[in-house]
């Protein structure tokens, strides 16, 4: 009986080894078969539109011979995407909304082959300690084709792999402050009494403070490829003081303006936010250009509220004012830095008492004309995508509207700051959820966009 059992067990083991061999063959074949279709540069997946939000995976992907190290890391499991910019805009490229904390690498190139790629912009970790995903931004030019590599970071010989979400959308540095450069606007305030910026880090939900400014300064939203500056305009001496959020050692100042001027920075030269002021006393705009090509516009009347921004797809910010007395928006539409190409436009939208809150609420890459009506707590938006009016009740009379894309979905959210209780109320456009957060003290100034009212 013992010998029979031994024979039976031996037969079982042989069968098991045979089954394991079959399974190993099947799984090995499956791993090879399931390599992503866009594993190689030549097979980059074509993606289109000013808004891209897709979920993909780098599981089973490989690294080609001659492929560069993306974002300065060896990686080893890259997939490729090919995107052509439909308009000139500051664009954001991100894996920050990826479920979990997959350690991604993100690199954007121009070129036609692996051996002639030109680096455009890239990112490894947004924050080394708690956010291993990636986010980067730069000026993309209409008609230019960009190749995007998403890889897993290699740490201790192991390369991260799994599903990730790739988001591509425009970013508006003067309409939403992104101090931690993760592709989402931060809840942020400036405390005049202490000359300090406070913002809520989106990943850690920790409060970060930056000593920058003084009592009497006007906090301003503005930035460039690396994110938003900590930026103030000092009316007492007409000086701008800037501190890069990404590099605390980088600080500088520019004398541009005088007492009574309203700071209105924007991408007037289709690049980074330029310092600029609107002088209500004579309706003159003074635009500073870092290349020395300063410009002056006489446009507006006393009582007008300046609302500059990128309302057209050319990349040059428009000179614009909202006139509360008649509810009309007036524009100098710019398509270049050539004044002879400028045109005039006027749009009736709003009424006396409304607060102008331009933003990209429909996600088409253009600012929408919009107002917040404190008397009813209602937002009114004239969508640039279809010319239709949209209304949304969100807020009460005392609230201050605070525009920005707080959830990173490429659309502006309806959001207000309530001074009586220092509460932020945000209606997230991505999923319709509501986020409420107490942040700030009495006397703090919310800093998510340039409000000139």
């Amino acid at each position: 009986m013992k010998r029979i059992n031994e024979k039976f067990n031996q037969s079982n083991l042989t069968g098991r080894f045979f089954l394991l061999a079959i399974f190993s063959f099947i799984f090995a074949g499956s791993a090879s078969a399931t390599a992503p279709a866009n594993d190689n540069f030549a097979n980059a997946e074509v993606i289109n539109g000013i808004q891209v939000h897709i979920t993909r995976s780098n599981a089973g992907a490989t690294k080609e011979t001659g492929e560069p190290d993306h974002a300065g890391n060896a990686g080893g499991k890259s997939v490729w995407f090919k995107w052509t910019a439909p308009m000139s805009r500051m664009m954001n490229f991100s894996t920050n909304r990826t479920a979990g904390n997959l350690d991604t690498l993100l690199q954007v190139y121009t070129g036609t082959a692996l051996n002639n790629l030109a680096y455009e912009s890239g990112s490894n970790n947004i924050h080394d300690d708690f956010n291993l995903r990636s986010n980067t931004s730069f000026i993309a030019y209409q008609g230019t084709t960009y190749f995007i590599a998403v890889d897993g970071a290699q740490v201790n010989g192991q390369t991260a792999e799994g599903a990730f979400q790739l988001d591509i959308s425009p970013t508006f540095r003067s309409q939403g402050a992104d101090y931690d450069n993760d592709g989402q606007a931060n809840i942020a305030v400036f405390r005049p009494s202490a000359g300090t910026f406070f913002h809520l880090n989106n990943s850690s939900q920790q409060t970060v403070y930056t000593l920058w400014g003084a009592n009497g300064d006007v906090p301003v939203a503005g930035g460039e490829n690396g994110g938003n500056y900590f930026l103030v305009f000092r009316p007492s001496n007409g000086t701008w003081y800037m501190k890069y959020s990404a590099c605390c050692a980088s600080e500088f100042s520019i004398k541009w303006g005088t007492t009574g001027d309203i700071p209105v920075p924007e991408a007037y030269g289709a690049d980074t936010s330029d310092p600029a002021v609107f002088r209500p006393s004579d309706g003159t705009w003074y635009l500073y250009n870092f290349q020395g090509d300063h410009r002056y516009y006489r446009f507006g009347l006393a009582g007008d509220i300046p609302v500059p921004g990128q309302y057209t797809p050319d990349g040059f910010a428009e000179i614009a004012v909202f006139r509360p007395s008649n509810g009309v928006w007036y524009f100098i539409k710019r398509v270049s830095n050539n004044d002879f190409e400028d045109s005039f436009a006027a749009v009736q939208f709003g009424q006396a008492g409304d607060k102008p809150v331009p933003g990209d609420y429909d996600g088409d890459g253009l600012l929408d004309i919009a107002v917040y009506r404190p008397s009813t707590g209602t937002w009114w938006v004239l969508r640039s995508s279809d010319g239709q009016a949209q209304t949304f009740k969100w807020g009460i009379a005392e609230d201050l509207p605070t525009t920005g894309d707080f959830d990173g979905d490429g659309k502006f959210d309806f959001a207000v700051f309530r001074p009586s209780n220092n509460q932020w109320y945000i209606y997230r456009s991505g999923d319709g959820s509501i986020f409420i957060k107490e942040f700030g003290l009495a006397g703090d100034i919310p800093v998510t966009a340039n409000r000139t009212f």
Side-chain angles (χ1 to χ4, degrees):
M1 179 68 68
K2 181 178 178 182
R3 293 186 63 184
I4 293 174
N5 283 340
E6 287 176 348
K7 186 174 181 181
F8 176 78
N9 290 337
Q10 198 172 40
S11 174
N12 265 358
L13 287 173
T14 303
R16 287 174 186 172
F17 285 132
F18 178 72
L19 289 174
L20 284 172
I22 292 176
F23 289 151
S24 298
F25 174 79
I26 292 173
F27 290 145
S30 297
S32 175
T34 56
N38 58 340
D39 185 15
N40 294 335
F41 174 87
N43 297 323
E45 179 182 349
V46 177
I47 50 181
N48 298 295
I50 197 68
Q51 294 276 354
V52 176
H53 305 286
I54 56 176
T55 299
R56 297 292 185 267
S57 175
N58 71 329
T62 59
K63 185 173 183 177
E64 296 178 78
T65 301
E67 183 173 339
D69 291 346
H70 308 299
N73 184 284
K77 295 179 178 292
S78 61
V79 289
W80 290 88
F81 303 89
K82 181 179 180 181
W83 176 79
T84 301
M87 66 176 73
S88 295
R89 274 290 179 274
M90 174 79 76
M91 297 295 298
N92 205 69
F93 299 75
S94 181
T95 62
N96 190 42
R97 295 202 301 159
T98 297
N101 198 19
L102 183 68
D103 196 352
T104 59
L105 309 172
L106 178 65
Q107 189 83 48
V108 185
Y109 303 91
T110 55
T112 56
L114 281 178
N115 61 3
N116 68 3
L117 293 179
Y119 168 90
E120 189 66 48
S121 188
S123 170
N124 188 343
N125 299 333
I126 295 174
H127 295 291
D128 292 340
D129 49 351
F130 49 77
N131 191 340
L132 303 178
R133 293 162 290 187
S134 309
N135 187 81
T136 191
S137 57
F138 63 91
I139 295 285
Y141 291 96
Q142 183 176 13
T144 301
T145 296
Y146 299 91
F147 286 90
I148 304 147
V150 179
D151 202 346
Q154 186 179 126
V155 180
N156 298 325
Q158 298 295 315
T159 300
E161 62 179 331
F164 61 87
Q165 180 165 331
L166 175 63
D167 292 310
I168 303 174
S169 60
T171 180
F172 298 82
R173 296 299 189 204
S174 297
Q175 269 78 32
D178 179 10
Y179 292 115
D180 47 20
N181 195 26
D182 64 352
Q184 300 176 16
N186 296 111
I187 289 176
V189 297
F190 175 70
R191 190 162 297 163
S193 60
T196 305
F197 283 83
F198 294 86
H199 73 270
L200 185 67
N201 184 283
N202 289 319
S203 301
S204 67
Q205 290 295 292
Q206 296 174 347
T207 298
V208 181
Y209 71 92
T210 303
L211 294 169
W212 193 248
N215 205 349
D217 288 352
V218 178
V220 185
E224 57 177 11
N225 297 14
N228 276 70
Y229 313 130
F230 295 105
L231 177 62
V232 295
F233 173 68
R234 189 161 296 166
S236 61
N237 61 9
T239 303
W240 299 67
Y241 296 92
M242 308 180 195
K243 182 172 190 163
Y244 285 109
S245 59
C247 178
C248 295
S250 183
E251 305 169 358
F252 62 100
S253 62
I254 294 173
K255 172 82 167 134
W256 192 254
T258 189
T259 302
D261 288 350
I262 298 174
V264 285
E266 253 298 349
Y268 298 103
D271 202 273
T272 59
S273 297
D274 299 317
V277 295
F278 171 68
R279 191 160 295 165
S281 60
D282 60 9
T284 302
W285 296 65
Y286 297 88
L287 314 184
Y288 183 96
N289 184 284
F290 287 100
Q291 284 70 48
D293 183 21
H294 309 319
R295 294 181 176 273
Y296 311 90
Y297 289 84
R298 187 70 179 271
F299 194 74
L301 302 174
D304 287 352
I305 300 174
V307 285
Q310 296 182 320
Y311 298 87
T312 55
D314 50 64
F316 292 86
E318 272 64 58
I319 306 293
V321 296
F322 170 67
R323 188 161 296 164
S325 60
N326 60 7
V328 176
W329 297 60
Y330 298 95
F331 299 90
I332 293 179
K333 293 193 172 183
R334 305 166 66 243
V335 296
S336 70
N337 271 333
N338 184 349
D339 296 346
F340 293 103
E341 297 185 47
D342 294 344
S343 61
F344 171 80
V347 178
Q348 168 77 52
F349 196 79
Q351 63 185 35
D354 287 351
K355 310 297 185 184
V357 285
D360 186 9
Y361 299 95
D362 55 7
D364 67 347
L366 306 177
L367 290 182
D368 302 313
I369 292 172
V371 296
Y372 173 70
R373 189 161 296 162
S375 60
T376 60
T378 304
W379 298 65
W380 294 77
V381 178
L382 183 62
R383 296 194 300 254
S384 56
S385 57
D386 59 11
Q388 297 299 305
Q390 173 186 354
T391 63
F392 191 77
K393 186 165 176 52
W394 190 254
I396 60 177
E398 70 164 285
D399 291 347
L400 297 174
T402 54
T403 58
D405 179 8
F406 293 92
D407 59 4
D409 71 336
K411 296 181 181 180
F412 277 43
D413 305 306
F414 298 110
V416 296
F417 171 69
R418 190 162 296 166
S420 62
N421 60 9
N422 303 309
Q423 295 273 11
W424 294 68
Y425 300 88
I426 300 171
Y427 182 86
R428 291 169 166 162
S429 59
D431 58 8
S433 64
I434 296 171
F435 181 77
I436 301 174
K437 178 74 176 179
E438 182 178 351
F439 192 84
L441 299 175
D444 286 354
I445 302 171
V447 191
T448 56
N450 293 324
R451 285 184 314 280
T452 52
F453 48 81

